[in-house]
Every structure is written in C-alpha cells, then in structure tokens.
Amino acid sequence: MSAPEDKRSQFNPLARRSWTDLGPRVASAAVLLALAIVGLYVGSYVFAAIVGAVFAGCYREWERMVTLKPLTTAGGVLIALLAVSALVFPAFGPLAALALVAVAAALAAVTATPGIRLWRVGGVVFYGLVIVMLMMIRGEATWNQPGTFDAGLWAGLMLGCVIWATDTGAYFTGRQVGGEKLAPDISPGKTWSGAIGGFGLGTLVGLIVWLLVVPHSPWWIGLLLAASISILGQVGDLAESAIKRRFRIKDSGDIIPGHGGLMDRLDSLTFGIAFLFVVGALHGGFAAVAAGFLYW
C-alpha cells in the first residue's frame, strides 16, 4: 500500500525569487544615474536645478501622503519654494536658501489643519535641509580648474556609489537568498540577508572609491564612513516605510517605473546626505564640507 500523498506545501527555493520588476528597475536606475552624474559633474545651477526638482518632487509626494487629498494651491506654493531654494543657493548662498525654507515652513504651519500640521512642517523642513546640505556638500565646481581637486564632486560620488551599491546588494541578495524578515511590521519585503548583502557591497564599493580618490587619507576611516553611510541608508529606507505604513500607502508615487515614487528611491540617500554633511562640517567647517569629509 502506497503512503498517502503529503498535502502540505513543499518548500521551493525558487519561489522567493521574483525578477519581474528587474527590467524597469534597471532602465530607471540608468536614467537616474546619468542625470545624477551630469548634475554632480557640472555643478552650479545645473546641479541646483536637478536637486531642487528632485527633492521638491519628494515633498510633493509627502504633501499628498500626509494630507490624503489632491494637491492644493498652498501645497503647490510649498513645492515651488523648495525648488527655488536650491536655485537661490548658487547666487546668494546657504542663508538665502534657508530663508526660503523658513518661509515655506511658516506657510505650511499657517495653512495646515491641526491634525497634519506637524507632518506638513516636518516634511518642508526635512527636504529643505536636505537640499541645502546637498548644495553645501557639492560646493563650487572646480573640475575646470587644472590642478584643483574638486572635493564636492568626489564626496558626492562616494555617497552615491555607497547608496547605489547598498540598494543593489540588498535587492539581489534578498531576492536570491531570502530568509528571515528584517522588519516584517514595517517593510515585509526586506530580509536580514538583503540587509547584510547590501551592507557588505555598499561598504566595499565605498572603500574602493575612497582608496582611489583620497589614497593619502587612512583607509580605515574610509571603511568606517562607507559602513556608516550604508547602514544609515538602510535606516532611511525603513524610516520611510514606517511613515508610509502610518498613512497606509504602499508607494509614495509611481513616477519611476520599478521603484515607485521619488521618496521610495531617495529615502536611503537623505540620511546619507545628512551624515556626510555633519561629519564634513564638524571636521572641515561649513565652508569646506566635502573636503572635511575626505581629507584626514
């Protein structure tokens, strides 16, 4: 007599592998990467325009998320003020940019209903500071001055490489290996294997860039900085997931195929920007943030 058929679901190691979004993700990443490289290389108003458009776009998604309503006139003005704050930076400096952010924050507080006031103001302040910090990291472009080291260009490149490698490592390791969930109540799709894979690749790529760009700075400092950026990038990703869960939405938008919204793609970058800025400013001063980050 044959044994009864086991009706229980069988483990299939391929079941966890889902690559249907790989094509759109690669295409979108290529476009975003090219845009970022061009803006970072040229600097000045080109970089400011890209930064302003991108992070004002992030706030647009934040505005719609926290209000749960179509965009209002006041919301449109807030978006415009954030975008202009980036463009003001090359001409008038950080204080003028911060002044516009302060005006936007005040307007957000006045026009918001009590239930969303803190969220609305918090979003304006957060993305406004990210814009100013990123512009200060880039600083004045000196790539066209022979014999001059463009610290802002290379610091921005290292930051972008670490975040990109962390996201890539987490994506492929998580899909291939799977395993225990990292934070199932916040982001059910993230696994410990993905987090470890992202951390490993992000740290390695960051260290390689560090050794190539600033070989005279101690390697172990580059290792620590790259590792910190990688970890904070993943923390930023989880933080955005927690906020989205608070407002019961899956994606912040659908502007980027395979990624969702701008917030979904840049959440890991924002925490890295803040970390790089703080380290660079403390070590090199506000006038030389990128150099303070790279030179030790």
Side-chain angles (χ1 to χ4, degrees):
M1 181 176 178
S2 60
E5 183 181 357
D6 189 353
K7 300 296 184 180
R8 293 174 298 177
S9 60
Q10 299 297 313
F11 171 72
N12 180 3
L14 298 179
R16 61 178 173 270
R17 303 178 188 175
S18 175
W19 307 100
T20 56
D21 62 342
L22 182 58
R25 287 179 70 95
V26 170
S28 300
V31 173
L32 292 172
L33 187 61
L35 187 66
I37 291 174
V38 170
L40 190 61
Y41 180 76
V42 176
S44 190
Y45 287 99
V46 173
F47 185 64
I50 294 173
V51 169
V54 167
F55 286 103
C58 285
Y59 178 74
R60 176 183 178 276
E61 295 174 355
W62 178 279
E63 172 81 10
R64 296 188 65 181
M65 178 178 69
V66 301
T67 62
L68 299 176
K69 296 177 181 179
L71 189 65
T72 63
T73 301
V77 172
L78 295 177
I79 295 168
L81 286 172
L82 288 179
V84 173
S85 70
L87 291 170
V88 161
F89 189 101
F92 302 104
L95 292 181
L98 286 172
L100 277 182
V101 173
V103 170
L107 179 62
V110 170
T111 57
T113 57
I116 65 165
R117 181 170 290 121
L118 287 179
W119 287 102
R120 201 181 200 191
V121 173
V124 168
V125 172
F126 178 74
Y127 286 112
L129 289 178
V130 166
I131 288 171
V132 175
M133 287 188 292
L134 190 52
M135 294 300 299
M136 292 184 71
I137 290 170
R138 180 60 188 91
E140 182 182 356
T142 58
W143 53 266
N144 57 350
Q145 300 176 19
T148 302
F149 181 80
D150 194 335
L153 171 62
W154 295 111
L157 179 66
M158 179 178 173
L159 172 65
C161 285
V162 173
I163 295 298
W164 173 79
T166 299
D167 288 346
T168 301
Y171 175 81
F172 282 102
T173 306
R175 294 294 176 91
Q176 187 68 21
V177 178
E180 186 176 352
K181 301 298 182 181
L182 176 63
D185 293 335
I186 296 176
S187 184
K190 291 180 175 59
T191 60
W192 277 102
S193 64
I196 294 170
F199 171 74
L201 185 60
T203 302
L204 176 62
V205 169
L207 178 59
I208 292 173
V209 174
W210 179 272
L211 293 175
L212 292 174
V213 173
V214 281
H216 299 299
S217 291
W219 68 268
W220 59 270
I221 292 181
L223 179 68
L224 289 176
L225 293 175
S228 298
I229 291 172
S230 182
I231 292 173
L232 287 171
Q234 298 195 58
V235 171
D237 198 350
L238 287 173
E240 195 230 4
S241 295
I243 294 172
K244 289 192 297 184
R245 182 152 294 237
R246 159 69 174 76
F247 289 97
R248 300 181 181 179
I249 65 170
K250 182 179 182 298
D251 294 319
S252 64
D254 57 3
I255 192 172
I256 307 176
H259 293 287
L262 288 169
M263 281 176 56
D264 297 322
R265 186 56 182 162
L266 299 173
D267 48 11
S268 54
L269 182 63
T270 54
F271 279 39
I273 291 170
F275 174 75
L276 195 161
F277 176 83
V278 170
V279 171
L282 290 176
H283 187 239
F286 290 112
V289 175
F293 180 80
L294 293 175
Y295 288 138
W296 293 80

